[in-house]
Amino acid sequence: MNIVNQNTFRADPLIDDVLEQARKLQPLIREHAAKGEDERRVVQPVIDAMTRAGLFKIATPRRYGGLESSMKSMLDLSAIVGEADGGTSWIVTLSNVCAWLTSLFPVSAQDEVFGKNPDAKVSGVLTPSATSRRVDGGFIVNGKWFYNSGSWHADWAVLGLPVVNEAGEAVDQGLALFSCKELKLEETWFVAGMSSSGSNCLIAENVFVPDHRIMSVPAAIQGDYPTERKEEEALYRSAFVPLLALVLVGPQLGMGRAALNFVLSKAPNKPVSYTFFNSQAQSTAFQLQVAEAALLIDTAHLHAYRAAADIDNAAIAGRYPDAMIRARVRADTGLVAEKITRAIDILLFAHGSGGFANTSPLQRIWRDSAVAARHAVALPQVGYEVYGKALLGVKEQITPLI
C-alpha cells in the first residue's frame, strides 16, 4: 500500500500545553501518591484533574478531540507524571496506549468507544485467556484477564481471545473491544509495588462481541491494522509490538529522575553516618555513586528516545520497521528497565537506610520501579535474546512479539 509521506509529528503547541499541564499537576499527584497506594487505586480527584488537563488524550485520534501525538510525546508525558508518582504514571501510560490500540480497530468500533465519550478510558491485556464461540455476526466470549491496569477507571477493555471457526477450531488470535459494563471486576491486585495501578482481573461471562470489534494480533504484528484512517493518521501506522513495549518504560524514566533529584536535594545537609562527613556532598564515595546513577539514567533516556525515533520516523515515512529494528527496540526497552533499576539501587545505597522509611518517597519509587521492570514485555533478558538472535541471523525466535 502506498502511504502518503507526511510529517504529522511536527512540533505541536497543543501537545506542549498538555505536557506543561502535567508538570503543573505534579504537586497534586505527589500529594496523593501514598493514599493511592493504600487504596490500591489512583484517587478520583487526581484522575479527574488529569482528565480535565487532557493527559488521557495524547494517543486518541484528533477526530475525537484527542492529540494523536507520537511515541516520543507518550514517553515525555509518562516520564513527567512518573516524576511525581510511578503508579499514577502507569495508569496514564497504559490507558493511553490502550487508546492507541483502540484506534487501530475499524472506525465503527472507534466511534462506539470515543464517539459519545471522547474521555473514554481503556484498559487492556493481550493474553488470550478466554474461550470464544462463533455465532451470527460475532462471537460469544467467556474468559478471565488478569493485570488490567486502570481497571477501576476504565470504560472499555481491549482483551485477547482465540478466534475460532464454526467448528470451534482456533484459526487466529484476536483482540476484542468490550464495554466494561458487560464485564465483572475481581479485585486481585495485592502487590509490593505499583499498587495504585489497580491492575485487577476482568471477567466475561457469555458476552457477545461483534465482528467489527475484533482485530487479528498476528496481522497487527506485521503492521496490518483494520483502521480505515491509516493513510491519513501516522500514529496509527506505528509498529505494533515496538510501541506496546517501549511505552512501558516511560514511567521508569520519570522515576529515575525523581530518585536522583531526591537524593541530590538531601545530600548537602545529610551526614554519612558513622564517618567524619557531616555532608554527603563532601564524600568522594557519594560523589562517585551519584555520578554513576546519573549516567545510568542518562543512558536509559538515550536508548528510549532512540527507539522512539525508530518508531516515529518509520510511521511518518509509511514504512514498517524491519525485524532487526523491531528486535532492537525490544532490547532498548529491556535496557531502560535494567539501567533505571540499577541506578535506583545505587541511589538507595548512597542515600542510606532512611530511604526505606514509609515517609520517604524513595522507597515507593524503588518498589514501583522494581515491579514495573518485571513486566513480561519489558524483561531485559528476553529483549536481549531477541536482539541477539536477530544480530546473528538465527531465524528461530523465542516470541512472536517482535
Side-chain angles (χ1 to χ4, degrees):
M1 181 166 55
N2 183 25
I3 293 176
V4 177
N5 184 359
Q6 56 180 347
N7 183 354
T8 58
F9 296 152
R10 58 188 180 277
D12 188 330
L14 293 176
I15 294 170
D16 291 342
D17 181 62
V18 167
L19 297 180
E20 182 58 27
Q21 293 300 317
R23 291 187 188 92
K24 291 180 179 177
L25 286 175
Q26 284 181 332
L28 177 75
I29 295 169
R30 196 173 287 121
E31 176 188 347
H32 290 88
K35 186 175 183 182
E37 185 173 50
D38 290 343
E39 297 184 358
R40 299 193 307 283
R41 70 184 77 185
V42 177
V43 299
Q44 197 59 42
V46 171
I47 293 291
D48 292 342
M50 294 195 298
T51 300
R52 287 194 298 272
L55 271 59
F56 291 105
K57 288 188 173 181
I58 200 156
T60 303
R62 298 190 183 212
R63 290 175 279 116
Y64 304 109
L67 294 173
E68 197 180 310
S69 64
S70 65
M71 182 71 249
K72 177 185 179 301
S73 296
M74 293 171 74
L75 284 182
D76 287 341
L77 177 63
S78 298
I80 291 168
V81 178
E83 286 179 321
D85 179 49
T88 305
S89 180
W90 196 255
I91 292 292
V92 170
T93 300
L94 273 292
S95 296
N96 280 327
V97 79
C98 288
W100 177 80
L101 269 178
T102 301
S103 305
L104 307 183
F105 281 78
V107 170
S108 56
Q110 298 177 41
D111 285 343
E112 291 180 67
V113 176
F114 299 120
K116 293 183 179 178
N117 180 14
D119 290 322
K121 298 174 183 62
V122 187
S123 72
V125 176
L126 266 64
T127 307
S129 52
T131 61
S132 64
R133 176 167 57 87
R134 195 78 170 100
V135 295
D136 187 27
F139 295 85
I140 299 294
V141 181
N142 287 275
K144 284 188 171 184
W145 297 268
F146 293 87
Y147 313 127
N148 282 269
S149 300
S151 58
W152 292 116
H153 317 289
D155 304 287
W156 290 78
V158 57
L159 304 168
L161 80 169
V163 177
V164 299
N165 60 20
E166 287 75 4
E169 299 164 331
V171 294
D172 199 0
Q173 181 180 334
L175 277 174
L177 269 168
F178 294 81
S179 167
C180 285
K181 294 177 182 176
E182 300 174 308
L183 303 173
K184 295 180 179 177
L185 188 154
E186 183 178 342
E187 198 169 353
T188 55
W189 189 243
F190 301 93
V191 288
M194 283 291 172
S195 180
S196 63
S197 69
S199 305
N200 293 301
C201 176
L202 292 177
I203 302 170
E205 295 177 351
N206 296 315
V207 177
F208 172 72
V209 180
D211 286 327
H212 70 277
R213 280 203 257 130
I214 293 178
M215 178 173 70
S216 168
V217 171
I221 290 173
Q222 298 305 315
D224 183 7
Y225 310 140
T227 173
E228 298 89 343
R229 305 299 295 269
K230 188 176 174 181
E231 291 189 38
E232 298 92 345
E233 298 171 341
L235 180 61
Y236 310 114
R237 50 180 190 256
S238 299
F240 189 73
V241 174
L243 189 145
L244 293 179
L246 186 63
V247 77
L248 297 172
V249 292
Q252 296 281 4
L253 300 176
M255 288 188 282
R257 298 195 312 235
L260 177 63
N261 289 336
F262 178 80
V263 172
L264 292 176
S265 71
K266 300 295 182 184
N269 300 311
K270 192 174 189 303
V272 181
S273 299
Y274 303 112
T275 74
F276 297 115
F277 289 109
N278 293 320
S279 166
Q280 291 178 329
Q282 300 303 314
S283 161
T284 299
F286 182 86
Q287 294 162 3
L288 293 172
Q289 286 174 305
V290 294
E292 183 179 3
L295 290 169
L296 287 169
I297 294 167
D298 286 348
T299 300
H301 281 71
L302 291 169
H303 280 268
Y305 284 99
R306 177 182 72 171
D310 284 338
I311 296 169
D312 287 343
N313 290 339
I316 291 168
R319 180 187 69 250
Y320 205 71
D322 62 28
M324 180 68 77
I325 294 295
R326 288 184 276 140
R328 193 175 75 184
V329 172
R330 280 218 56 172
D332 280 335
T333 300
L335 188 137
V336 173
E338 181 183 18
K339 297 304 179 189
I340 293 291
T341 51
R342 173 64 182 146
I344 291 172
D345 195 43
I346 291 171
L347 290 167
L348 277 161
F349 273 111
H351 181 72
S353 57
F356 294 100
N358 287 337
T359 54
S360 172
L362 201 54
Q363 51 81 26
R364 186 180 307 110
I365 292 171
W366 168 57
R367 289 183 289 106
D368 286 347
S369 172
V371 170
R374 271 69 176 185
H375 189 290
V377 182
L379 287 175
Q381 288 70 24
V382 173
Y384 299 161
E385 186 169 354
V386 165
Y387 187 38
K389 287 183 184 297
L391 287 170
L392 292 163
V394 178
K395 293 183 178 179
E396 294 78 15
Q397 270 293 359
I398 60 172
T399 173
L401 295 180
I402 300 172

mmCIF file of all heavy atoms in Angstrom, residues 1-37:
data_model
loop_
_atom_site.group_PDB
_atom_site.id
_atom_site.type_symbol
_atom_site.label_atom_id
_atom_site.label_comp_id
_atom_site.label_asym_id
_atom_site.label_seq_id
_atom_site.Cartn_x
_atom_site.Cartn_y
_atom_site.Cartn_z
ATOM 1 N N MET A 1 0.849 -1.196 0.000
ATOM 2 C CA MET A 1 0.000 0.000 0.000
ATOM 3 C C MET A 1 0.888 1.250 0.000
ATOM 4 O O MET A 1 1.843 1.359 0.763
ATOM 5 C CB MET A 1 -0.885 -0.005 1.253
ATOM 6 C CG MET A 1 -1.813 1.166 1.330
ATOM 7 S SD MET A 1 -3.100 0.891 2.578
ATOM 8 C CE MET A 1 -2.110 0.552 4.031
ATOM 9 N N ASN A 2 0.561 2.189 -0.863
ATOM 10 C CA ASN A 2 1.327 3.425 -0.932
ATOM 11 C C ASN A 2 0.769 4.434 0.072
ATOM 12 O O ASN A 2 -0.377 4.868 -0.024
ATOM 13 C CB ASN A 2 1.238 3.994 -2.345
ATOM 14 C CG ASN A 2 2.068 5.243 -2.487
ATOM 15 O OD1 ASN A 2 3.022 5.422 -1.737
ATOM 16 N ND2 ASN A 2 1.716 6.082 -3.432
ATOM 17 N N ILE A 3 1.564 4.778 1.050
ATOM 18 C CA ILE A 3 1.106 5.687 2.095
ATOM 19 C C ILE A 3 1.735 7.052 1.894
ATOM 20 O O ILE A 3 2.922 7.175 1.630
ATOM 21 C CB ILE A 3 1.456 5.129 3.482
ATOM 22 C CG1 ILE A 3 0.637 3.854 3.713
ATOM 23 C CG2 ILE A 3 1.197 6.134 4.571
ATOM 24 C CD1 ILE A 3 0.964 3.171 5.003
ATOM 25 N N VAL A 4 0.930 8.070 2.024
ATOM 26 C CA VAL A 4 1.411 9.432 1.835
ATOM 27 C C VAL A 4 2.506 9.734 2.858
ATOM 28 O O VAL A 4 2.357 9.463 4.048
ATOM 29 C CB VAL A 4 0.258 10.430 1.997
ATOM 30 C CG1 VAL A 4 0.775 11.859 1.881
ATOM 31 C CG2 VAL A 4 -0.815 10.175 0.953
ATOM 32 N N ASN A 5 3.625 10.273 2.388
ATOM 33 C CA ASN A 5 4.726 10.610 3.283
ATOM 34 C C ASN A 5 4.508 12.012 3.850
ATOM 35 O O ASN A 5 4.875 13.012 3.251
ATOM 36 C CB ASN A 5 6.042 10.546 2.516
ATOM 37 C CG ASN A 5 7.228 10.787 3.424
ATOM 38 O OD1 ASN A 5 7.057 11.027 4.617
ATOM 39 N ND2 ASN A 5 8.414 10.724 2.874
ATOM 40 N N GLN A 6 3.871 12.084 4.980
ATOM 41 C CA GLN A 6 3.630 13.400 5.568
ATOM 42 C C GLN A 6 4.052 13.387 7.032
ATOM 43 O O GLN A 6 3.842 12.424 7.743
ATOM 44 C CB GLN A 6 2.154 13.785 5.460
ATOM 45 C CG GLN A 6 1.213 12.754 6.080
ATOM 46 C CD GLN A 6 -0.236 13.146 5.956
ATOM 47 O OE1 GLN A 6 -0.550 14.270 5.628
ATOM 48 N NE2 GLN A 6 -1.120 12.216 6.235
ATOM 49 N N ASN A 7 4.670 14.440 7.469
ATOM 50 C CA ASN A 7 5.133 14.542 8.843
ATOM 51 C C ASN A 7 4.020 15.105 9.721
ATOM 52 O O ASN A 7 3.778 16.308 9.742
ATOM 53 C CB ASN A 7 6.370 15.430 8.921
ATOM 54 C CG ASN A 7 6.910 15.481 10.325
ATOM 55 O OD1 ASN A 7 6.306 14.959 11.252
ATOM 56 N ND2 ASN A 7 8.055 16.092 10.479
ATOM 57 N N THR A 8 3.320 14.227 10.402
ATOM 58 C CA THR A 8 2.258 14.693 11.292
ATOM 59 C C THR A 8 2.764 14.792 12.720
ATOM 60 O O THR A 8 2.007 15.061 13.632
ATOM 61 C CB THR A 8 1.046 13.745 11.249
ATOM 62 O OG1 THR A 8 1.488 12.448 11.622
ATOM 63 C CG2 THR A 8 0.447 13.701 9.871
ATOM 64 N N PHE A 9 4.081 14.541 12.949
ATOM 65 C CA PHE A 9 4.636 14.610 14.296
ATOM 66 C C PHE A 9 5.440 15.893 14.487
ATOM 67 O O PHE A 9 6.340 15.960 15.294
ATOM 68 C CB PHE A 9 5.538 13.400 14.567
ATOM 69 C CG PHE A 9 4.807 12.099 14.554
ATOM 70 C CD1 PHE A 9 5.452 10.930 14.213
ATOM 71 C CD2 PHE A 9 3.459 12.024 14.879
ATOM 72 C CE1 PHE A 9 4.794 9.710 14.204
ATOM 73 C CE2 PHE A 9 2.780 10.811 14.868
ATOM 74 C CZ PHE A 9 3.456 9.655 14.525
ATOM 75 N N ARG A 10 5.144 16.909 13.715
ATOM 76 C CA ARG A 10 5.846 18.175 13.864
ATOM 77 C C ARG A 10 5.492 18.789 15.225
ATOM 78 O O ARG A 10 4.552 18.376 15.891
ATOM 79 C CB ARG A 10 5.455 19.137 12.747
ATOM 80 C CG ARG A 10 3.973 19.430 12.681
ATOM 81 C CD ARG A 10 3.638 20.242 11.428
ATOM 82 N NE ARG A 10 2.217 20.525 11.355
ATOM 83 C CZ ARG A 10 1.305 19.702 10.874
ATOM 84 N NH1 ARG A 10 1.678 18.515 10.440
ATOM 85 N NH2 ARG A 10 0.025 20.024 10.817
ATOM 86 N N ALA A 11 6.266 19.797 15.628
ATOM 87 C CA ALA A 11 6.004 20.459 16.899
ATOM 88 C C ALA A 11 4.558 20.941 16.956
ATOM 89 O O ALA A 11 4.035 21.503 15.987
ATOM 90 C CB ALA A 11 6.963 21.633 17.060
ATOM 91 N N ASP A 12 3.922 20.678 18.079
ATOM 92 C CA ASP A 12 2.502 21.000 18.203
ATOM 93 C C ASP A 12 2.270 21.707 19.540
ATOM 94 O O ASP A 12 2.504 21.114 20.599
ATOM 95 C CB ASP A 12 1.696 19.706 18.141
ATOM 96 C CG ASP A 12 0.206 19.977 18.072
ATOM 97 O OD1 ASP A 12 -0.238 21.016 18.617
ATOM 98 O OD2 ASP A 12 -0.518 19.155 17.489
ATOM 99 N N PRO A 13 1.790 22.960 19.520
ATOM 100 C CA PRO A 13 1.561 23.684 20.780
ATOM 101 C C PRO A 13 0.557 22.984 21.680
ATOM 102 O O PRO A 13 0.648 23.109 22.908
ATOM 103 C CB PRO A 13 1.009 25.032 20.305
ATOM 104 C CG PRO A 13 1.385 25.155 18.875
ATOM 105 C CD PRO A 13 1.504 23.783 18.335
ATOM 106 N N LEU A 14 -0.396 22.254 21.096
ATOM 107 C CA LEU A 14 -1.377 21.553 21.924
ATOM 108 C C LEU A 14 -0.709 20.468 22.770
ATOM 109 O O LEU A 14 -1.048 20.281 23.943
ATOM 110 C CB LEU A 14 -2.470 20.934 21.039
ATOM 111 C CG LEU A 14 -3.390 21.916 20.307
ATOM 112 C CD1 LEU A 14 -4.348 21.160 19.386
ATOM 113 C CD2 LEU A 14 -4.169 22.763 21.302
ATOM 114 N N ILE A 15 0.236 19.744 22.162
ATOM 115 C CA ILE A 15 0.948 18.699 22.913
ATOM 116 C C ILE A 15 1.854 19.342 23.958
ATOM 117 O O ILE A 15 1.909 18.881 25.116
ATOM 118 C CB ILE A 15 1.747 17.813 21.944
ATOM 119 C CG1 ILE A 15 0.775 17.047 21.032
ATOM 120 C CG2 ILE A 15 2.647 16.843 22.712
ATOM 121 C CD1 ILE A 15 1.440 16.323 19.893
ATOM 122 N N ASP A 16 2.531 20.402 23.573
ATOM 123 C CA ASP A 16 3.384 21.117 24.548
ATOM 124 C C ASP A 16 2.544 21.592 25.737
ATOM 125 O O ASP A 16 2.989 21.559 26.887
ATOM 126 C CB ASP A 16 4.065 22.315 23.883
ATOM 127 C CG ASP A 16 5.104 21.887 22.863
ATOM 128 O OD1 ASP A 16 5.537 20.722 22.903
ATOM 129 O OD2 ASP A 16 5.474 22.722 22.006
ATOM 130 N N ASP A 17 1.329 22.050 25.446
ATOM 131 C CA ASP A 17 0.468 22.544 26.525
ATOM 132 C C ASP A 17 0.070 21.413 27.477
ATOM 133 O O ASP A 17 0.064 21.599 28.701
ATOM 134 C CB ASP A 17 -0.788 23.189 25.923
ATOM 135 C CG ASP A 17 -1.711 23.739 27.006
ATOM 136 O OD1 ASP A 17 -1.269 24.653 27.737
ATOM 137 O OD2 ASP A 17 -2.850 23.243 27.138
ATOM 138 N N VAL A 18 -0.258 20.236 26.932
ATOM 139 C CA VAL A 18 -0.617 19.109 27.807
ATOM 140 C C VAL A 18 0.574 18.686 28.660
ATOM 141 O O VAL A 18 0.416 18.373 29.854
ATOM 142 C CB VAL A 18 -1.145 17.927 26.967
ATOM 143 C CG1 VAL A 18 -1.216 16.654 27.800
ATOM 144 C CG2 VAL A 18 -2.531 18.260 26.421
ATOM 145 N N LEU A 19 1.765 18.679 28.072
ATOM 146 C CA LEU A 19 2.957 18.332 28.868
ATOM 147 C C LEU A 19 3.175 19.360 29.979
ATOM 148 O O LEU A 19 3.541 18.992 31.110
ATOM 149 C CB LEU A 19 4.188 18.251 27.957
ATOM 150 C CG LEU A 19 4.148 17.170 26.863
ATOM 151 C CD1 LEU A 19 5.427 17.217 26.040
ATOM 152 C CD2 LEU A 19 3.957 15.784 27.465
ATOM 153 N N GLU A 20 2.917 20.617 29.690
ATOM 154 C CA GLU A 20 3.048 21.644 30.717
ATOM 155 C C GLU A 20 1.978 21.473 31.792
ATOM 156 O O GLU A 20 2.243 21.660 32.997
ATOM 157 C CB GLU A 20 2.944 23.036 30.082
ATOM 158 C CG GLU A 20 3.125 24.195 31.056
ATOM 159 C CD GLU A 20 4.454 24.166 31.789
ATOM 160 O OE1 GLU A 20 5.430 23.611 31.249
ATOM 161 O OE2 GLU A 20 4.522 24.686 32.922
ATOM 162 N N GLN A 21 0.769 21.116 31.369
ATOM 163 C CA GLN A 21 -0.294 20.858 32.348
ATOM 164 C C GLN A 21 0.091 19.694 33.268
ATOM 165 O O GLN A 21 -0.203 19.702 34.466
ATOM 166 C CB GLN A 21 -1.614 20.544 31.630
ATOM 167 C CG GLN A 21 -2.217 21.711 30.864
ATOM 168 C CD GLN A 21 -2.527 22.896 31.766
ATOM 169 O OE1 GLN A 21 -3.050 22.739 32.866
ATOM 170 N NE2 GLN A 21 -2.159 24.082 31.315
ATOM 171 N N ALA A 22 0.729 18.685 32.691
ATOM 172 C CA ALA A 22 1.175 17.539 33.502
ATOM 173 C C ALA A 22 2.190 17.991 34.549
ATOM 174 O O ALA A 22 2.149 17.535 35.703
ATOM 175 C CB ALA A 22 1.772 16.468 32.596
ATOM 176 N N ARG A 23 3.088 18.888 34.148
ATOM 177 C CA ARG A 23 4.081 19.398 35.127
ATOM 178 C C ARG A 23 3.367 20.149 36.260
ATOM 179 O O ARG A 23 3.739 20.030 37.434
ATOM 180 C CB ARG A 23 5.093 20.311 34.425
ATOM 181 C CG ARG A 23 6.020 19.591 33.476
ATOM 182 C CD ARG A 23 7.110 20.507 32.930
ATOM 183 N NE ARG A 23 7.874 19.839 31.887
ATOM 184 C CZ ARG A 23 7.602 19.911 30.592
ATOM 185 N NH1 ARG A 23 6.594 20.656 30.175
ATOM 186 N NH2 ARG A 23 8.329 19.251 29.722
ATOM 187 N N LYS A 24 2.350 20.923 35.901
ATOM 188 C CA LYS A 24 1.623 21.684 36.919
ATOM 189 C C LYS A 24 0.870 20.770 37.881
ATOM 190 O O LYS A 24 0.594 21.141 39.030
ATOM 191 C CB LYS A 24 0.657 22.657 36.242
ATOM 192 C CG LYS A 24 1.344 23.796 35.515
ATOM 193 C CD LYS A 24 0.333 24.729 34.851
ATOM 194 C CE LYS A 24 1.035 25.885 34.153
ATOM 195 N NZ LYS A 24 0.069 26.765 33.437
ATOM 196 N N LEU A 25 0.508 19.569 37.409
ATOM 197 C CA LEU A 25 -0.224 18.635 38.274
ATOM 198 C C LEU A 25 0.698 17.812 39.170
ATOM 199 O O LEU A 25 0.208 17.065 40.033
ATOM 200 C CB LEU A 25 -1.066 17.686 37.403
ATOM 201 C CG LEU A 25 -2.315 18.299 36.760
ATOM 202 C CD1 LEU A 25 -2.989 17.279 35.834
ATOM 203 C CD2 LEU A 25 -3.306 18.755 37.833
ATOM 204 N N GLN A 26 1.991 17.908 38.985
ATOM 205 C CA GLN A 26 2.907 17.077 39.787
ATOM 206 C C GLN A 26 2.703 17.233 41.302
ATOM 207 O O GLN A 26 2.679 16.223 42.022
ATOM 208 C CB GLN A 26 4.360 17.378 39.404
ATOM 209 C CG GLN A 26 4.772 16.760 38.076
ATOM 210 C CD GLN A 26 6.216 17.041 37.725
ATOM 211 O OE1 GLN A 26 6.795 18.054 38.132
ATOM 212 N NE2 GLN A 26 6.834 16.167 36.947
ATOM 213 N N PRO A 27 2.533 18.457 41.836
ATOM 214 C CA PRO A 27 2.317 18.547 43.298
ATOM 215 C C PRO A 27 1.066 17.809 43.759
ATOM 216 O O PRO A 27 1.081 17.149 44.805
ATOM 217 C CB PRO A 27 2.195 20.066 43.522
ATOM 218 C CG PRO A 27 2.934 20.684 42.385
ATOM 219 C CD PRO A 27 2.673 19.787 41.212
ATOM 220 N N LEU A 28 -0.023 17.909 42.988
ATOM 221 C CA LEU A 28 -1.260 17.203 43.343
ATOM 222 C C LEU A 28 -1.056 15.685 43.292
ATOM 223 O O LEU A 28 -1.478 14.951 44.200
ATOM 224 C CB LEU A 28 -2.386 17.616 42.388
ATOM 225 C CG LEU A 28 -3.724 16.902 42.610
ATOM 226 C CD1 LEU A 28 -4.421 17.458 43.856
ATOM 227 C CD2 LEU A 28 -4.643 17.063 41.381
ATOM 228 N N ILE A 29 -0.419 15.223 42.221
ATOM 229 C CA ILE A 29 -0.170 13.782 42.075
ATOM 230 C C ILE A 29 0.719 13.277 43.209
ATOM 231 O O ILE A 29 0.448 12.231 43.826
ATOM 232 C CB ILE A 29 0.479 13.506 40.702
ATOM 233 C CG1 ILE A 29 -0.499 13.861 39.577
ATOM 234 C CG2 ILE A 29 0.926 12.048 40.593
ATOM 235 C CD1 ILE A 29 0.150 13.879 38.196
ATOM 236 N N ARG A 30 1.759 14.039 43.511
ATOM 237 C CA ARG A 30 2.704 13.651 44.578
ATOM 238 C C ARG A 30 1.999 13.628 45.946
ATOM 239 O O ARG A 30 2.209 12.713 46.748
ATOM 240 C CB ARG A 30 3.874 14.644 44.577
ATOM 241 C CG ARG A 30 5.106 14.187 45.329
ATOM 242 C CD ARG A 30 6.238 15.191 45.109
ATOM 243 N NE ARG A 30 6.815 15.142 43.784
ATOM 244 C CZ ARG A 30 6.849 16.158 42.929
ATOM 245 N NH1 ARG A 30 6.346 17.324 43.267
ATOM 246 N NH2 ARG A 30 7.399 16.022 41.739
ATOM 247 N N GLU A 31 1.138 14.588 46.168
ATOM 248 C CA GLU A 31 0.422 14.692 47.451
ATOM 249 C C GLU A 31 -0.446 13.455 47.712
ATOM 250 O O GLU A 31 -0.590 13.013 48.854
ATOM 251 C CB GLU A 31 -0.459 15.949 47.439
ATOM 252 C CG GLU A 31 -1.329 16.120 48.680
ATOM 253 C CD GLU A 31 -2.312 17.263 48.514
ATOM 254 O OE1 GLU A 31 -2.164 18.067 47.557
ATOM 255 O OE2 GLU A 31 -3.252 17.332 49.331
ATOM 256 N N HIS A 32 -1.028 12.879 46.647
ATOM 257 C CA HIS A 32 -1.963 11.762 46.815
ATOM 258 C C HIS A 32 -1.334 10.393 46.534
ATOM 259 O O HIS A 32 -2.042 9.390 46.506
ATOM 260 C CB HIS A 32 -3.175 11.946 45.896
ATOM 261 C CG HIS A 32 -4.077 13.064 46.322
ATOM 262 N ND1 HIS A 32 -3.891 14.369 45.918
ATOM 263 C CD2 HIS A 32 -5.167 13.069 47.126
ATOM 264 C CE1 HIS A 32 -4.826 15.130 46.443
ATOM 265 N NE2 HIS A 32 -5.618 14.381 47.190
ATOM 266 N N ALA A 33 -0.027 10.365 46.329
ATOM 267 C CA ALA A 33 0.618 9.100 45.960
ATOM 268 C C ALA A 33 0.457 8.036 47.045
ATOM 269 O O ALA A 33 0.104 6.880 46.757
ATOM 270 C CB ALA A 33 2.097 9.342 45.670
ATOM 271 N N ALA A 34 0.693 8.411 48.309
ATOM 272 C CA ALA A 34 0.599 7.426 49.392
ATOM 273 C C ALA A 34 -0.833 6.930 49.567
ATOM 274 O O ALA A 34 -1.069 5.730 49.772
ATOM 275 C CB ALA A 34 1.111 8.045 50.694
ATOM 276 N N LYS A 35 -1.810 7.845 49.465
ATOM 277 C CA LYS A 35 -3.205 7.424 49.607
ATOM 278 C C LYS A 35 -3.607 6.488 48.466
ATOM 279 O O LYS A 35 -4.316 5.500 48.670
ATOM 280 C CB LYS A 35 -4.126 8.651 49.630
ATOM 281 C CG LYS A 35 -5.576 8.312 49.911
ATOM 282 C CD LYS A 35 -6.425 9.565 50.036
ATOM 283 C CE LYS A 35 -7.871 9.182 50.383
ATOM 284 N NZ LYS A 35 -8.739 10.389 50.452
ATOM 285 N N GLY A 36 -3.153 6.797 47.269
ATOM 286 C CA GLY A 36 -3.441 5.925 46.132
ATOM 287 C C GLY A 36 -2.883 4.528 46.344
ATOM 288 O O GLY A 36 -3.523 3.532 46.001
ATOM 289 N N GLU A 37 -1.690 4.483 46.929
ATOM 290 C CA GLU A 37 -1.097 3.170 47.198
ATOM 291 C C GLU A 37 -1.903 2.431 48.261
ATOM 292 O O GLU A 37 -2.187 1.235 48.127
ATOM 293 C CB GLU A 37 0.345 3.349 47.651
ATOM 294 C CG GLU A 37 1.090 2.041 47.831
ATOM 295 C CD GLU A 37 2.555 2.275 48.112
ATOM 296 O OE1 GLU A 37 2.885 3.089 49.003
ATOM 297 O OE2 GLU A 37 3.379 1.635 47.454
#
